[in-house]
Amino acid sequence: MHFTILGASGFIGSNLTAFLKSESIECFTPPKEYVFTKNKNLGHVIYCIGLTADFRQKPMETVRAHVCKLMEVLENSSFESFLYLSSSRVYNEESAGTETDKLSISSSNFSDLYNISKLMGESICFSLTNEKIRIARLSNVIGNDFNSDNFLVSLIKEAVDKNKIVLGVPIHASKDYILIEDVVKIIALISQKGIQRIYNVASGLQISNEQIVNKIRSYVNCQIEIINNTKELKFPAISIKKIKNEFNFKPKNILDNLEGLISDYKQTKL
């Protein structure tokens, strides 16, 4: 058994590769210029290529990553299974976050470019009849990715570096967060053993900004400044019924791991 990790230099891809290698599983991590061919079986492919926070500055690159490169790989390779990593952001305008829900997006809303490109990637996967081509919609993945602009990581960095958190989003807004160590384990299982075409990969817990900043403040002596000129944000609860039933998935609560993340960040500054 072997895996091919596309996008292995990114946060999720690098952590996934490290996890698989720790399980003594062979991993192939092809460079960007790799030429795909059906003569080589890639084993279990996990497609981690994508943009996140910088998609507004790089719209063309976003579509190439989420759609164009995906088409190239699917058309020109052989594999045992293929798992496309999508995003639970596609639920942002919805009242619920279940895999079978119909979704609302607008081509005139530039902020929807990310969701449209991810859904286009999903649609390409669904258009192929191979049942081993699957999709995983990931919620907000948290880990020691301290070079990113991830919201929660940014709060930790502000608290430690400035002894102050300036919260520019509603204090009561809540999202689903999932730890990277839970992510890599469950997507490896889905890739090998999944029996359905699409899964949410999330914690199933809505964690509010208030819970996060209060937890950070319990470990770091910092002030909290709340800017109240933003509109209320509502994100739907993400259903994890499929992965709970199929894999007995029991994700951790990110609040229980904030102390470790804060400690890890402090270590990077020594």
Side-chain angles (χ1 to χ4, degrees), residues 151-160 164-165 209-224 255 258-259 261-262 266:
F151 171 69
L152 191 148
V153 169
S154 296
L155 296 183
I156 291 174
K157 291 161 70 174
E158 270 194 272
V160 173
K164 183 177 182 179
I165 292 176
N209 294 333
E210 184 175 28
Q211 289 175 286
I212 292 169
V213 296
N214 285 341
K215 197 70 171 179
I216 292 174
R217 191 162 52 177
S218 71
Y219 300 120
V220 181
N221 183 20
C222 63
Q223 296 179 323
I224 309 295
L255 294 176
L258 284 185
E259 183 178 14
L261 285 175
I262 292 168
K266 288 179 177 179

Side-chain angles (χ1 to χ4, degrees), residues 2-6 28 36-47 69-84 124-126 128-134 191-192 197:
H2 69 283
F3 277 73
T4 294
I5 311 302
L6 304 178
F28 175 48
F36 292 92
T37 170
K38 291 184 181 292
N39 294 328
K40 179 179 174 62
N41 190 310
L42 299 176
H44 298 286
V45 179
I46 301 183
Y47 191 94
K69 189 65 177 181
L70 171 68
M71 293 171 61
E72 176 192 335
V73 179
L74 287 173
E75 287 181 318
N76 300 292
S77 66
S78 299
F79 45 80
E80 297 298 324
S81 71
F82 190 101
L83 182 62
Y84 177 71
I124 290 168
C125 292
F126 277 127
L128 302 174
T129 57
N130 186 344
E131 296 292 320
K132 295 297 181 69
I133 298 175
R134 307 183 184 93
S191 180
Q192 298 171 77
R197 293 296 302 271

